[in-house]
Amino acid sequence: MAASYPRELQIQFDLRVPMRDGITLSADIYMPVANQGKINRYPVILSRTPYMKADVSLENAKYFVRHGYIFVSMDVRGRGDSDGDFVPYFNEGRDGYDAIEWCAEQPWSDGNVGTIGASYGGRIQWLTAVERPPHLKAMVVLVPPSDPFVETPTGTPSPMHLCWLHLVSGRALQSMDVVEWEQVYQHLPLVTMDERVGRRIPSWRTEMQHTQLDSYWEPLCYQQHFERVEVPALHISGWYDDEQIGTPLNYVGMTARGANAEARAHQRLLMGPWGHDTNASSKLGAVDFGPQAIIDLRAEQLRWYDHYLKGQTVEVGAPVRIFVMGRNEWRDEHEWPLARTQWTPFYMHSQGRANSRFGNGTLTRVKPDAEQVDTYLYDPADAFPFITDATSSQIGGPDDYASLQRRDDVLVYTTEPLEEDIEVTGPIKVELYAASSAPDTDFMAMLIDVWPNGLRQRLCDSMVRARFRKGMDKPELIEPGQIYHYTIDCWNVSQVFKAGHRICIQITSSAFPKYDRNQNTGEPLGMATEIAVAEQRIYHDAAHPSAVILPIIPSN
C-alpha cells in the first residue's frame, strides 16, 4: 500500500548537507506545502539516525509538520545515503553541529532548531550539545546511552553489544535472525567473538583494545561536560529501559551543572513503566501496568517544542513526572531524587546458608552482629543467567527469577511479608563486603519484588568488576581471600511493594549474557580463553554490614 501523506505535506528527498571536512550527509525534508509559491519560515526539528532515515521518521514527521514545523531526517555519516565511514559515535558531535547550523541557514527555517532522537539518536544529541551549536534551542532525548562503562562497568563491551554492531554494519540494516546469538555469546576470547557472527567488526576489536577509561574514550564522554550545555532538554526513559541509568543522570547533571541558571531551570524528566521502546505497550513480560501506562508522548514533545522553539506560553508540565509501579499511577514531582526520601538500609542476614530461595537468607532493617559468612562457587562455564531475549533490542524486563533462584550459586535475602505498602522510588545502591579466591571476579546485585503468588519480579540490577572497584580508570587486581567493600549502583526504580509482598535482594557473580563472564583469572580482559572457578564469600556482620540502601518515600 502506498504511503499516505497529509495534504499539507511535501517532501524533498536526499538533500546533501555539507560537513566541515567536505563529506556530505543525506537528509529528507518534510515541510508544509508552500502557500501559492511563497516560502514560509518554520522552526526545524532535526532527527539524525543510523537506522535509515526513511524508515524511522514518517509518523513523527507528519505529526510535527501538521503542527507547523519542518522535520529533517538525516542518515548519519557512513549509513544509508550519507557519505563517509560509520565509526559509532566518534564523528557525531561535529556532524551534529554542522547539521544544525545548516538547518538554521535554509530559506524555510526561522533559525530555531530542535533535535529529537532515541538511543543512538539520544546520545548523539548530547555529544552535539557540548559542541554548543548557536541555533540549537531545545532537545527531546529518549533512552540515551551514558558515557563509556556507565552501563557496562566491565571494561569490555557487553556480548549483546555485538548484536547492535552487526545490525549497523555496512550501509543498510543487517538481518539479526540469521545468527545463532546464544552460541556466539559463548565464544572466547571475546576479542574474536565477531568471527562467530560471520563478519569482522572493526569497532568491536578496537573497543577490546581499550578496556579501561582512557584518552581513547574522551570524545564520547558528555556527562562530565554539562557546564557547556545551555539547552532545555526533555529527558524520557522507562524503568525497564536497558540504558535507563543515563536519563536520570543527565537530568540531575543538567539541573545541577548546566551552563547557566536558565538552562538548569529548564529541564524535565519523564519516566514510564517502559523498556527501551518507550511508550510501546502497557505490558512487559509477566506484568501489565494498566492502560494508563500509555500516554500521548508526542503531545508532551510538541508542548516542549512549542514553548522553546516557537516561544508560546504553554504548560510543559512539572519538572519530574514518574510512573509509580505497583500502584500503577503517574505522579508529578519537583526534583530527582525526591527531597522527602528516607534512605533506609535493609541488611543481609543468614545462618551461613543463603544459597537459593530455599536457604535461610533474610533481609531486615536491623544491623547484623555476629553472623556466619555465606559462600558459593562461581563457575564461568555455568554462569548464572540473565533473563533476556537473544538480541539487544530489549535487554531484560520485569522477568520472573523464581526458577533461577533454585540454583546454589545465588544468595537470596528476603524480608518477611510486608504488613503495609512500602514505596521505593529513587536510586538503589548495594553496599557489599566480599572476598574471592580469584584475583579478579564479579559481583551482581538485583532488587526483586516477591509476590504472594510466587512471582519474583526483577526491578533493577547492576554489578561491580573487582579490578575496577576504585574506578574505571584505576584497574587493580584483588588479593585472593581478602575482604573488600564494594558499592554496586543498581540504577533507579519507582515501585510500591504491596502489603503481603516481600522485598528481596539477590547476590551472584554473573548476569550472562547481559555482561560478559569474568573468567576469574586476572588476565588481560577480552584476550583470554582460560577460566577458573572462584569461591565467593559474602560477609554480613557488625564489621561488614552488607545492605541494600532503599529510597523509601513516606506515605504522608
Side-chain angles (χ1 to χ4, degrees), residues 503-540:
I503 302 171
C504 172
I505 194 79
Q506 73 172 34
I507 304 295
T508 186
S509 286
S510 60
F512 184 67
K514 180 180 182 180
Y515 305 108
D516 71 283
R517 298 165 291 171
N518 196 312
Q519 294 165 235
N520 295 329
T521 64
E523 295 179 89
L525 295 173
M527 306 299 168
T529 58
E530 297 298 317
I531 63 173
V533 177
E535 182 186 66
Q536 317 290 52
R537 300 173 67 82
I538 304 301
Y539 293 81
H540 40 82

Side-chain angles (χ1 to χ4, degrees), residues 10 17 22 32 38 74 102 107 126 128 283 307 320 323 435 450 460 468 481 506:
Q10 61 181 357
V17 181
K38 179 182 177 181
M74 179 181 293
W102 178 87
W126 289 110
T128 297
K283 186 175 182 181
H307 187 77
V320 174
F323 188 91
V450 182
C460 58
F468 292 119
Q506 73 172 34

Side-chain angles (χ1 to χ4, degrees), residues 205-458:
R205 298 195 176 210
T206 301
E207 290 182 31
M208 285 292 176
Q209 303 299 322
H210 298 275
T211 56
Q212 68 182 77
L213 195 59
D214 57 21
S215 59
Y216 170 80
W217 296 108
E218 175 60 31
L220 305 193
C221 294
Y222 67 85
Q223 289 171 321
Q224 58 184 298
H225 297 303
F226 289 127
E227 71 280 355
R228 295 180 53 82
V229 181
E230 49 190 341
V231 184
L234 175 56
H235 309 253
I236 302 172
S237 187
W239 301 123
Y240 284 104
D241 170 24
D242 49 52
E243 298 187 301
Q244 173 239 90
I245 188 173
T247 298
L249 280 178
N250 295 344
Y251 174 79
V252 170
M254 280 300 298
T255 55
R257 298 187 285 113
N260 51 49
E262 184 176 4
R264 294 190 291 272
H266 293 280
Q267 306 294 315
R268 187 170 189 242
L269 176 65
L270 195 158
M271 298 291 296
W274 311 317
H276 199 57
D277 189 3
T278 52
N279 205 43
S281 173
S282 66
K283 186 175 182 181
L284 278 176
V287 181
D288 192 331
F289 298 102
Q292 63 275 16
I294 303 303
I295 63 175
D296 191 345
L297 194 55
R298 283 201 185 102
E300 299 273 357
Q301 297 165 358
L302 179 65
R303 284 192 292 271
W304 193 258
Y305 290 131
D306 283 349
H307 187 77
Y308 292 107
L309 296 185
K310 291 184 177 180
Q312 295 181 1
T313 303
V314 295
E315 178 57 52
V316 297
V320 174
R321 185 161 178 78
I322 58 174
F323 188 91
V324 183
M325 300 184 295
R327 192 172 291 137
N328 292 348
E329 64 183 22
W330 289 95
R331 193 171 71 212
D332 289 340
E333 298 287 351
H334 295 286
E335 70 285 306
W336 184 268
L338 309 188
R340 63 187 184 279
T341 301
Q342 297 175 352
W343 302 99
T344 307
F346 278 65
Y347 296 99
M348 304 174 199
H349 302 270
S350 81
Q351 299 170 22
R353 181 66 185 172
N355 309 73
S356 87
R357 62 185 173 92
F358 305 111
N360 53 34
T362 62
L363 197 65
T364 78
R365 302 191 197 196
V366 178
K367 197 169 182 178
D369 190 4
E371 294 191 8
Q372 298 180 53
V373 65
D374 284 310
T375 65
Y376 63 94
L377 296 180
Y378 161 48
D379 183 357
D382 184 25
F384 189 87
F386 182 83
I387 300 173
T388 185
D389 290 337
T391 66
S392 60
S393 57
Q394 170 64 39
I395 303 176
D399 303 298
D400 184 359
Y401 274 77
S403 61
L404 289 179
Q405 285 189 347
R406 301 176 69 91
R407 295 171 56 125
D408 276 347
D409 58 351
V410 58
L411 305 181
V412 181
Y413 304 93
T414 312
T415 67
E416 293 296 318
L418 301 178
E419 295 181 359
E420 59 184 10
D421 292 359
I422 294 180
E423 180 183 336
V424 174
T425 292
I428 306 296
K429 282 187 170 52
V430 170
E431 304 293 347
L432 191 71
Y433 293 86
S436 176
S437 64
D440 186 35
T441 195
D442 292 345
F443 294 103
M444 274 71 179
M446 180 182 292
L447 181 65
I448 290 172
D449 184 341
V450 182
W451 294 39
N453 65 6
L455 172 68
R456 291 177 175 248
Q457 175 191 348
R458 168 188 171 253

